[in-house]
Amino acid sequence: MQLTPEDRAFLDTYEPSDFPRPSVTVDLVVFTVIDSDLKVLLVQRDQPPFRTHWALPGGFVQVGDGASQGESLEQAAERELVTETGLPQGRSYLEQLYTFGRPGRDPRMRVITVAYTALVRPDLAPLVAGDDAADARWFSVEHGLPSLAFDHAEILEKGTERLRNKLDYSPVGFRLVAETFTIAELRGVHEAVMGGTYDPGNFRRRFNRMLSDGLIELAEGKRQTSRRPAKVYRFVSELR
Amino acid sequence: MQLTPEDRAFLDTYEPSDFPRPSVTVDLVVFTVIDSDLKVLLVQRDQPPFRTHWALPGGFVQVGDGASQGESLEQAAERELVTETGLPQGRSYLEQLYTFGRPGRDPRMRVITVAYTALVRPDLAPLVAGDDAADARWFSVEHGLPSLAFDHAEILEKGTERLRNKLDYSPVGFRLVAETFTIAELRGVHEAVMGGTYDPGNFRRRFNRMLSDGLIELAEGKRQTSRRPAKVYRFVSELR
DNA sequence: CCAAAAGTGTTATTTATACACCCATGT
DNA sequence: ACATGGGTGTATAAATAACACTTTTGG
């Protein structure tokens, strides 16, 4: 939307009014699948409130009112992902999840948090290092989650629900396998996320539809791990 | 999440730090269907920037850091819906849509907006009155939209896309008909939103599935408007 | 009687689900 | 050779889509 001359005159004399403002953070629900188990990345807090409790990685969005208004929400999410967890930049799938702003959700002050989901390929998952100060670790979503700080349990719940929903009508599953993968590996991801088992034959049929739709393509080489070597595929992200 | 004694001691001496904060608003994509046409509610701005331009209704979230941290995001959305459009309280379906925070999206200052979708029943749609100051009107989404202020065109686009998606896997369509409705009326809503036509027989079949699922029930009376009177149904919102 | 919308039925095509079976390979 | 996971085929049920047909009413 273009500014009019009237707008420019107005802005030259405009002073941002002092209506109270909330703090705004981004929080990250970082998923991966390791050993056929859905994991979420948590960091241990070293400051009150909830010191020693585990929490979702996240932090304040850098903002300003002047010539630079600061970073975008996506940039803030990507920055926190890199600095708080040690994961490499630009290699994870990021998607806005939901915004949580209930009064009292942070006892210190009014904080509104824009939650993002991040999907990390399993071959990158071991790179998590954590902050200089705090620890960062993968936890199984189904077995042995610690009690989370703030309303992060609610955020994680929403992230899990959304991931489950998207898995069967959108190609997000490919963000949870390595660059090349076998049908069984992708099936393992679906089983880990959905928490059930899929018929190998029927799963293959769905897979083959995606193949003929050009969503995935055959890659070179075969996977040698199990008994019989399996064909290896690649996700075609550049959709026409 | 419970506070520990350590947390309480910490909070007693805590002063919210002066990291810069953004302004946070809620904006509303208010839909209804009138005469088989999808409409969105817009208000005309009477202040720069973008004075005289049409915009989505919305406003600042009331926040604080002290004993009361202010209103929730949902409350803010509901409040703006009532005060800016004159629609009655608590009678519209509200759902969080997406959060937009690109730097520069408001030239005055850094503003992060949490967008909500509101679905208004057609029998309530004529109640829109607008602010004391500004005008509020329904516009056809497909024919004759004015150019919108800020990034509101993008927000509306996202709202329209989401509504179309949800319409065929979730029961939101019932929020766009009156309390009792005929199959043809519901079909009209789907056609208006999706922008096509549905086979009456096949649509009826889908409808009958919802009937046997207990999602809707037969209501008293018949609809007299057309040639042959049609049966009237009601949406059963209290699902078990 | 007739136009028009309500409502029903038929058929073909696709998709989902369950499950039996063959294939290739490391041990 | 054989156990095991890779890979294929088939039968049934259910959902989707196209479309012909009957019913009921107001004019």
Side-chain angles (χ1 to χ4, degrees), chain A residues 53 122 180 193 233:
Chain A
H53 278 77
T180 61
V193 173
Y233 298 87

Side-chain angles (χ1 to χ4, degrees), chain B residues 134-183:
Chain B
D135 199 9
R137 275 181 47 202
W138 292 109
F139 286 83
S140 166
V141 173
E142 294 302 326
H143 324 100
L145 261 191
S147 86
L148 300 187
F150 305 104
D151 56 356
H152 288 189
E154 185 188 348
I155 300 176
L156 171 57
E157 180 59 36
K158 189 122 189 163
T160 309
E161 182 196 335
R162 183 92 129 245
L163 176 62
R164 293 204 171 114
N165 279 333
K166 291 205 85 167
L167 202 58
D168 36 61
Y169 69 87
S170 115
V172 291
F174 302 109
R175 326 309 311 218
L176 290 171
V177 289
E179 199 195 339
T180 62
F181 53 90
T182 66
I183 300 188

